[in-house]
PDB file of all heavy atoms in Angstrom:
ATOM      1  N   GLU A   1      48.561  51.380 103.519  1.00 95.00           N
ATOM      2  CA  GLU A   1      49.620  52.321 103.896  1.00 95.00           C
ATOM      3  C   GLU A   1      50.560  52.574 102.724  1.00 95.00           C
ATOM      4  O   GLU A   1      50.979  53.705 102.467  1.00 95.00           O
ATOM      5  CB  GLU A   1      50.401  51.767 105.089  1.00 95.00           C
ATOM      6  CG  GLU A   1      51.494  52.704 105.579  1.00 95.00           C
ATOM      7  CD  GLU A   1      52.255  52.139 106.769  1.00 95.00           C
ATOM      8  OE1 GLU A   1      51.783  51.147 107.365  1.00 95.00           O
ATOM      9  OE2 GLU A   1      53.324  52.679 107.100  1.00 95.00           O
ATOM     10  N   ALA A   2      50.895  51.514 101.981  1.00 95.00           N
ATOM     11  CA  ALA A   2      51.814  51.649 100.847  1.00 95.00           C
ATOM     12  C   ALA A   2      51.222  52.539  99.760  1.00 95.00           C
ATOM     13  O   ALA A   2      51.931  53.338  99.132  1.00 95.00           O
ATOM     14  CB  ALA A   2      52.148  50.279 100.277  1.00 95.00           C
ATOM     15  N   GLY A   3      49.922  52.417  99.526  1.00 95.00           N
ATOM     16  CA  GLY A   3      49.273  53.233  98.502  1.00 95.00           C
ATOM     17  C   GLY A   3      49.451  54.712  98.762  1.00 95.00           C
ATOM     18  O   GLY A   3      49.690  55.503  97.839  1.00 95.00           O
ATOM     19  N   GLY A   4      49.335  55.095 100.039  1.00 94.00           N
ATOM     20  CA  GLY A   4      49.516  56.496 100.401  1.00 94.00           C
ATOM     21  C   GLY A   4      50.972  56.913 100.431  1.00 94.00           C
ATOM     22  O   GLY A   4      51.335  58.008  99.983  1.00 94.00           O
ATOM     23  N   LYS A   5      51.829  56.040 100.948  1.00 95.00           N
ATOM     24  CA  LYS A   5      53.258  56.357 101.057  1.00 95.00           C
ATOM     25  C   LYS A   5      53.867  56.694  99.700  1.00 95.00           C
ATOM     26  O   LYS A   5      54.567  57.701  99.542  1.00 95.00           O
ATOM     27  CB  LYS A   5      53.999  55.175 101.682  1.00 95.00           C
ATOM     28  CG  LYS A   5      55.515  55.333 101.691  1.00 95.00           C
ATOM     29  CD  LYS A   5      56.204  54.070 102.212  1.00 95.00           C
ATOM     30  CE  LYS A   5      57.723  54.179 102.092  1.00 95.00           C
ATOM     31  NZ  LYS A   5      58.395  52.942 102.573  1.00 95.00           N
ATOM     32  N   PHE A   6      53.593  55.869  98.704  1.00 96.00           N
ATOM     33  CA  PHE A   6      54.219  56.086  97.404  1.00 96.00           C
ATOM     34  C   PHE A   6      53.504  57.174  96.593  1.00 96.00           C
ATOM     35  O   PHE A   6      54.108  57.764  95.697  1.00 96.00           O
ATOM     36  CB  PHE A   6      54.330  54.768  96.643  1.00 96.00           C
ATOM     37  CG  PHE A   6      55.369  53.856  97.244  1.00 96.00           C
ATOM     38  CD1 PHE A   6      55.018  52.896  98.179  1.00 96.00           C
ATOM     39  CD2 PHE A   6      56.705  54.000  96.927  1.00 96.00           C
ATOM     40  CE1 PHE A   6      55.979  52.078  98.764  1.00 96.00           C
ATOM     41  CE2 PHE A   6      57.671  53.199  97.492  1.00 96.00           C
ATOM     42  CZ  PHE A   6      57.314  52.234  98.421  1.00 96.00           C
ATOM     43  N   ALA A   7      52.266  57.459  96.939  1.00 96.00           N
ATOM     44  CA  ALA A   7      51.589  58.615  96.346  1.00 96.00           C
ATOM     45  C   ALA A   7      52.299  59.899  96.768  1.00 96.00           C
ATOM     46  O   ALA A   7      52.503  60.815  95.967  1.00 96.00           O
ATOM     47  CB  ALA A   7      50.127  58.656  96.776  1.00 96.00           C
ATOM     48  N   VAL A   8      52.691  59.964  98.037  1.00 96.00           N
ATOM     49  CA  VAL A   8      53.410  61.135  98.555  1.00 96.00           C
ATOM     50  C   VAL A   8      54.806  61.230  97.931  1.00 96.00           C
ATOM     51  O   VAL A   8      55.271  62.318  97.578  1.00 96.00           O
ATOM     52  CB  VAL A   8      53.488  61.092 100.093  1.00 96.00           C
ATOM     53  CG1 VAL A   8      54.420  62.184 100.621  1.00 96.00           C
ATOM     54  CG2 VAL A   8      52.095  61.248 100.705  1.00 96.00           C
ATOM     55  N   ILE A   9      55.476  60.093  97.780  1.00 97.00           N
ATOM     56  CA  ILE A   9      56.805  60.095  97.151  1.00 97.00           C
ATOM     57  C   ILE A   9      56.696  60.630  95.720  1.00 97.00           C
ATOM     58  O   ILE A   9      57.515  61.451  95.277  1.00 97.00           O
ATOM     59  CB  ILE A   9      57.411  58.678  97.155  1.00 97.00           C
ATOM     60  CG1 ILE A   9      57.787  58.279  98.588  1.00 97.00           C
ATOM     61  CG2 ILE A   9      58.623  58.598  96.237  1.00 97.00           C
ATOM     62  CD1 ILE A   9      58.263  56.844  98.723  1.00 97.00           C
ATOM     63  N   SER A  10      55.688  60.191  94.993  1.00 97.00           N
ATOM     64  CA  SER A  10      55.477  60.677  93.637  1.00 97.00           C
ATOM     65  C   SER A  10      55.236  62.182  93.623  1.00 97.00           C
ATOM     66  O   SER A  10      55.840  62.925  92.841  1.00 97.00           O
ATOM     67  CB  SER A  10      54.288  59.955  93.002  1.00 97.00           C
ATOM     68  OG  SER A  10      53.900  60.553  91.793  1.00 97.00           O
ATOM     69  N   LEU A  11      54.351  62.646  94.503  1.00 97.00           N
ATOM     70  CA  LEU A  11      54.000  64.065  94.552  1.00 97.00           C
ATOM     71  C   LEU A  11      55.199  64.930  94.910  1.00 97.00           C
ATOM     72  O   LEU A  11      55.474  65.945  94.252  1.00 97.00           O
ATOM     73  CB  LEU A  11      52.865  64.277  95.560  1.00 97.00           C
ATOM     74  CG  LEU A  11      52.457  65.732  95.823  1.00 97.00           C
ATOM     75  CD1 LEU A  11      51.940  66.388  94.551  1.00 97.00           C
ATOM     76  CD2 LEU A  11      51.404  65.782  96.934  1.00 97.00           C
ATOM     77  N   THR A  12      55.924  64.546  95.955  1.00 97.00           N
ATOM     78  CA  THR A  12      57.062  65.375  96.385  1.00 97.00           C
ATOM     79  C   THR A  12      58.176  65.372  95.344  1.00 97.00           C
ATOM     80  O   THR A  12      58.867  66.377  95.163  1.00 97.00           O
ATOM     81  CB  THR A  12      57.589  64.905  97.751  1.00 97.00           C
ATOM     82  OG1 THR A  12      57.884  63.495  97.699  1.00 97.00           O
ATOM     83  CG2 THR A  12      56.558  65.150  98.848  1.00 97.00           C
ATOM     84  N   SER A  13      58.348  64.271  94.645  1.00 97.00           N
ATOM     85  CA  SER A  13      59.351  64.214  93.577  1.00 97.00           C
ATOM     86  C   SER A  13      58.965  65.153  92.434  1.00 97.00           C
ATOM     87  O   SER A  13      59.818  65.866  91.881  1.00 97.00           O
ATOM     88  CB  SER A  13      59.489  62.782  93.040  1.00 97.00           C
ATOM     89  OG  SER A  13      59.938  61.898  94.039  1.00 97.00           O
ATOM     90  N   ALA A  14      57.688  65.168  92.091  1.00 98.00           N
ATOM     91  CA  ALA A  14      57.216  66.040  91.022  1.00 98.00           C
ATOM     92  C   ALA A  14      57.344  67.505  91.401  1.00 98.00           C
ATOM     93  O   ALA A  14      57.742  68.341  90.579  1.00 98.00           O
ATOM     94  CB  ALA A  14      55.762  65.702  90.682  1.00 98.00           C
ATOM     95  N   VAL A  15      57.028  67.815  92.652  1.00 98.00           N
ATOM     96  CA  VAL A  15      57.135  69.204  93.110  1.00 98.00           C
ATOM     97  C   VAL A  15      58.595  69.664  93.118  1.00 98.00           C
ATOM     98  O   VAL A  15      58.900  70.804  92.748  1.00 98.00           O
ATOM     99  CB  VAL A  15      56.487  69.361  94.503  1.00 98.00           C
ATOM    100  CG1 VAL A  15      56.876  70.684  95.139  1.00 98.00           C
ATOM    101  CG2 VAL A  15      54.975  69.257  94.381  1.00 98.00           C
ATOM    102  N   GLN A  16      59.504  68.781  93.504  1.00 97.00           N
ATOM    103  CA  GLN A  16      60.917  69.127  93.465  1.00 97.00           C
ATOM    104  C   GLN A  16      61.361  69.424  92.031  1.00 97.00           C
ATOM    105  O   GLN A  16      62.095  70.383  91.773  1.00 97.00           O
ATOM    106  CB  GLN A  16      61.764  68.001  94.054  1.00 97.00           C
ATOM    107  CG  GLN A  16      63.247  68.334  94.210  1.00 97.00           C
ATOM    108  CD  GLN A  16      63.487  69.505  95.137  1.00 97.00           C
ATOM    109  OE1 GLN A  16      62.781  69.684  96.138  1.00 97.00           O
ATOM    110  NE2 GLN A  16      64.467  70.336  94.807  1.00 97.00           N
ATOM    111  N   ALA A  17      60.889  68.618  91.093  1.00 97.00           N
ATOM    112  CA  ALA A  17      61.215  68.841  89.678  1.00 97.00           C
ATOM    113  C   ALA A  17      60.626  70.163  89.188  1.00 97.00           C
ATOM    114  O   ALA A  17      61.245  70.871  88.382  1.00 97.00           O
ATOM    115  CB  ALA A  17      60.690  67.685  88.832  1.00 97.00           C
ATOM    116  N   LEU A  18      59.452  70.514  89.691  1.00 97.00           N
ATOM    117  CA  LEU A  18      58.811  71.771  89.323  1.00 97.00           C
ATOM    118  C   LEU A  18      59.611  72.953  89.865  1.00 97.00           C
ATOM    119  O   LEU A  18      59.832  73.950  89.166  1.00 97.00           O
ATOM    120  CB  LEU A  18      57.383  71.786  89.855  1.00 97.00           C
ATOM    121  CG  LEU A  18      56.430  72.882  89.381  1.00 97.00           C
ATOM    122  CD1 LEU A  18      56.327  72.906  87.856  1.00 97.00           C
ATOM    123  CD2 LEU A  18      55.061  72.701  90.009  1.00 97.00           C
ATOM    124  N   LYS A  19      60.058  72.838  91.107  1.00 97.00           N
ATOM    125  CA  LYS A  19      60.869  73.898  91.714  1.00 97.00           C
ATOM    126  C   LYS A  19      62.182  74.096  90.967  1.00 97.00           C
ATOM    127  O   LYS A  19      62.677  75.225  90.837  1.00 97.00           O
ATOM    128  CB  LYS A  19      61.161  73.559  93.185  1.00 97.00           C
ATOM    129  CG  LYS A  19      59.976  73.715  94.116  1.00 97.00           C
ATOM    130  CD  LYS A  19      60.391  73.405  95.547  1.00 97.00           C
ATOM    131  CE  LYS A  19      59.263  73.658  96.528  1.00 97.00           C
ATOM    132  NZ  LYS A  19      59.681  73.388  97.935  1.00 97.00           N
ATOM    133  N   GLU A  20      62.748  73.012  90.481  1.00 96.00           N
ATOM    134  CA  GLU A  20      64.045  73.081  89.807  1.00 96.00           C
ATOM    135  C   GLU A  20      63.930  73.424  88.329  1.00 96.00           C
ATOM    136  O   GLU A  20      64.936  73.550  87.631  1.00 96.00           O
ATOM    137  CB  GLU A  20      64.775  71.741  89.969  1.00 96.00           C
ATOM    138  CG  GLU A  20      65.170  71.438  91.417  1.00 96.00           C
ATOM    139  CD  GLU A  20      65.775  70.059  91.597  1.00 96.00           C
ATOM    140  OE1 GLU A  20      65.843  69.299  90.602  1.00 96.00           O
ATOM    141  OE2 GLU A  20      66.178  69.735  92.734  1.00 96.00           O
ATOM    142  N   GLY A  21      62.699  73.588  87.836  1.00 96.00           N
ATOM    143  CA  GLY A  21      62.496  73.984  86.455  1.00 96.00           C
ATOM    144  C   GLY A  21      62.596  72.871  85.448  1.00 96.00           C
ATOM    145  O   GLY A  21      62.671  73.121  84.237  1.00 96.00           O
ATOM    146  N   HIS A  22      62.569  71.622  85.901  1.00 97.00           N
ATOM    147  CA  HIS A  22      62.634  70.499  84.962  1.00 97.00           C
ATOM    148  C   HIS A  22      61.296  70.264  84.265  1.00 97.00           C
ATOM    149  O   HIS A  22      61.252  69.706  83.168  1.00 97.00           O
ATOM    150  CB  HIS A  22      63.059  69.225  85.694  1.00 97.00           C
ATOM    151  CG  HIS A  22      64.438  69.288  86.263  1.00 97.00           C
ATOM    152  ND1 HIS A  22      65.547  69.598  85.510  1.00 97.00           N
ATOM    153  CD2 HIS A  22      64.892  69.089  87.541  1.00 97.00           C
ATOM    154  CE1 HIS A  22      66.623  69.586  86.278  1.00 97.00           C
ATOM    155  NE2 HIS A  22      66.247  69.284  87.508  1.00 97.00           N
ATOM    156  N   ILE A  23      60.213  70.626  84.934  1.00 97.00           N
ATOM    157  CA  ILE A  23      58.886  70.529  84.336  1.00 97.00           C
ATOM    158  C   ILE A  23      58.234  71.909  84.412  1.00 97.00           C
ATOM    159  O   ILE A  23      58.603  72.744  85.240  1.00 97.00           O
ATOM    160  CB  ILE A  23      58.007  69.468  85.026  1.00 97.00           C
ATOM    161  CG1 ILE A  23      57.814  69.783  86.509  1.00 97.00           C
ATOM    162  CG2 ILE A  23      58.611  68.076  84.859  1.00 97.00           C
ATOM    163  CD1 ILE A  23      56.884  68.818  87.242  1.00 97.00           C
ATOM    164  N   ASP A  24      57.259  72.152  83.537  1.00 97.00           N
ATOM    165  CA  ASP A  24      56.632  73.472  83.449  1.00 97.00           C
ATOM    166  C   ASP A  24      55.286  73.549  84.150  1.00 97.00           C
ATOM    167  O   ASP A  24      54.784  74.642  84.405  1.00 97.00           O
ATOM    168  CB  ASP A  24      56.455  73.845  81.974  1.00 97.00           C
ATOM    169  CG  ASP A  24      57.779  73.917  81.242  1.00 97.00           C
ATOM    170  OD1 ASP A  24      58.621  74.738  81.633  1.00 97.00           O
ATOM    171  OD2 ASP A  24      57.983  73.130  80.299  1.00 97.00           O
ATOM    172  N   GLY A  25      54.686  72.419  84.438  1.00 98.00           N
ATOM    173  CA  GLY A  25      53.403  72.392  85.111  1.00 98.00           C
ATOM    174  C   GLY A  25      53.183  71.033  85.732  1.00 98.00           C
ATOM    175  O   GLY A  25      53.894  70.069  85.430  1.00 98.00           O
ATOM    176  N   LEU A  26      52.195  70.957  86.632  1.00 98.00           N
ATOM    177  CA  LEU A  26      51.940  69.715  87.372  1.00 98.00           C
ATOM    178  C   LEU A  26      50.467  69.345  87.315  1.00 98.00           C
ATOM    179  O   LEU A  26      49.590  70.178  87.553  1.00 98.00           O
ATOM    180  CB  LEU A  26      52.368  69.902  88.838  1.00 98.00           C
ATOM    181  CG  LEU A  26      52.044  68.760  89.804  1.00 98.00           C
ATOM    182  CD1 LEU A  26      52.778  67.486  89.416  1.00 98.00           C
ATOM    183  CD2 LEU A  26      52.405  69.163  91.243  1.00 98.00           C
ATOM    184  N   VAL A  27      50.220  68.080  87.006  1.00 98.00           N
ATOM    185  CA  VAL A  27      48.877  67.507  87.076  1.00 98.00           C
ATOM    186  C   VAL A  27      48.919  66.402  88.126  1.00 98.00           C
ATOM    187  O   VAL A  27      49.759  65.506  88.045  1.00 98.00           O
ATOM    188  CB  VAL A  27      48.436  66.932  85.720  1.00 98.00           C
ATOM    189  CG1 VAL A  27      47.066  66.256  85.844  1.00 98.00           C
ATOM    190  CG2 VAL A  27      48.390  68.030  84.664  1.00 98.00           C
ATOM    191  N   THR A  28      48.034  66.467  89.103  1.00 98.00           N
ATOM    192  CA  THR A  28      48.071  65.510  90.208  1.00 98.00           C
ATOM    193  C   THR A  28      46.906  64.532  90.131  1.00 98.00           C
ATOM    194  O   THR A  28      45.750  64.932  90.012  1.00 98.00           O
ATOM    195  CB  THR A  28      48.015  66.235  91.574  1.00 98.00           C
ATOM    196  OG1 THR A  28      46.825  67.033  91.640  1.00 98.00           O
ATOM    197  CG2 THR A  28      49.223  67.132  91.752  1.00 98.00           C
ATOM    198  N   ALA A  29      47.212  63.246  90.189  1.00 97.00           N
ATOM    199  CA  ALA A  29      46.173  62.221  90.285  1.00 97.00           C
ATOM    200  C   ALA A  29      45.688  62.158  91.735  1.00 97.00           C
ATOM    201  O   ALA A  29      46.401  62.570  92.662  1.00 97.00           O
ATOM    202  CB  ALA A  29      46.721  60.870  89.825  1.00 97.00           C
ATOM    203  N   PRO A  30      44.502  61.624  91.985  1.00 96.00           N
ATOM    204  CA  PRO A  30      43.894  61.689  93.311  1.00 96.00           C
ATOM    205  C   PRO A  30      44.646  60.906  94.397  1.00 96.00           C
ATOM    206  O   PRO A  30      45.185  59.822  94.145  1.00 96.00           O
ATOM    207  CB  PRO A  30      42.498  61.085  93.104  1.00 96.00           C
ATOM    208  CG  PRO A  30      42.255  61.183  91.639  1.00 96.00           C
ATOM    209  CD  PRO A  30      43.584  61.037  90.991  1.00 96.00           C
ATOM    210  N   ILE A  31      44.665  61.484  95.591  1.00 96.00           N
ATOM    211  CA  ILE A  31      45.190  60.814  96.779  1.00 96.00           C
ATOM    212  C   ILE A  31      44.065  60.709  97.804  1.00 96.00           C
ATOM    213  O   ILE A  31      43.014  61.321  97.654  1.00 96.00           O
ATOM    214  CB  ILE A  31      46.393  61.557  97.396  1.00 96.00           C
ATOM    215  CG1 ILE A  31      45.992  62.989  97.826  1.00 96.00           C
ATOM    216  CG2 ILE A  31      47.557  61.599  96.421  1.00 96.00           C
ATOM    217  CD1 ILE A  31      47.112  63.746  98.555  1.00 96.00           C
ATOM    218  N   ASN A  32      44.301  59.914  98.848  1.00 94.00           N
ATOM    219  CA  ASN A  32      43.324  59.745  99.921  1.00 94.00           C
ATOM    220  C   ASN A  32      43.923  60.278 101.212  1.00 94.00           C
ATOM    221  O   ASN A  32      45.028  59.885 101.600  1.00 94.00           O
ATOM    222  CB  ASN A  32      42.951  58.263 100.069  1.00 94.00           C
ATOM    223  CG  ASN A  32      41.763  58.068 100.987  1.00 94.00           C
ATOM    224  OD1 ASN A  32      41.837  58.331 102.185  1.00 94.00           O
ATOM    225  ND2 ASN A  32      40.657  57.600 100.427  1.00 94.00           N
TER     226      ASN A  32
END
């Protein structure tokens, strides 16, 4: 459960940074 929970936290944090213009592109590592 923890493996998936923190994968989502990482993804949503990155997407928020993308929306706010802090990063220019996103590369996602695999989730289950």
Side-chain angles (χ1 to χ4, degrees):
E1 182 180 347
K5 173 185 174 181
F6 289 94
V8 171
I9 290 174
S10 169
L11 175 62
T12 54
S13 298
V15 166
Q16 187 61 36
L18 191 56
K19 287 182 175 181
E20 294 175 357
H22 296 306
I23 60 177
D24 299 299
L26 174 63
V27 176
T28 58
I31 60 175
N32 190 294

